[in-house]
């Protein structure tokens, strides 16, 4: 399967999500957060650094739950235009 290239906007949204997740960890280790969300540390690292700018919905939902973030808040804070 060939993935279509991401747009600059999609990359920017992924970087925003990564920044938000890093800030929300509040000093917790990546290992602790990843284990709590049921994902690998490498997956979390890729999301936080923008190397995985379009993570799966359920991955984002698990991270949001683990970090005490609402999905609505994530959408608003990562949107490139006001929602």
């Amino acid at each position: 399967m060939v993935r279509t290239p991401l747009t600059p906007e999609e990359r920017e949204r992924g970087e925003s999500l990564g920044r938000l997740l890093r800030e929300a960890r509040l000093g917790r280790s990546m290992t602790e957060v990843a284990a709590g969300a049921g994902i690998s540390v490498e997956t979390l690292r890729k999301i936080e650094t923008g190397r995985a700018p379009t993570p799966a919905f359920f991955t984002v939902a698990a991270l949001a739950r683990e970090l005490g973030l609402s999905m609505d808040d994530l959408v608003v804070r990562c949107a490139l235009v006001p929602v």
Side-chain angles (χ1 to χ4, degrees):
M1 180 171 96
V2 176
R3 286 185 69 162
T4 57
L6 297 175
T7 65
E9 293 80 17
E10 289 169 322
R11 289 189 189 284
E12 186 177 337
R13 190 171 32 246
E15 290 169 3
S16 294
L17 175 62
R19 276 191 303 277
L20 178 59
L21 295 175
R22 269 193 314 277
E23 292 168 5
R25 278 197 291 122
L26 298 172
R28 292 172 61 191
S29 73
M30 289 180 108
T31 303
E32 180 184 350
V33 172
I39 64 171
S40 72
V41 175
E42 185 58 26
T43 296
L44 178 56
R45 182 176 291 110
K46 286 179 180 178
I47 294 169
E48 283 192 1
T49 60
R51 288 185 7 239
T54 58
F57 172 81
F58 289 104
T59 300
V60 175
L63 286 166
R65 184 197 73 240
E66 180 64 23
L67 295 169
L69 300 169
S70 76
M71 292 296 283
D72 289 337
D73 190 40
L74 285 178
V75 169
V76 169
R77 292 178 65 184
C78 293
L80 299 177
V81 294
V83 179

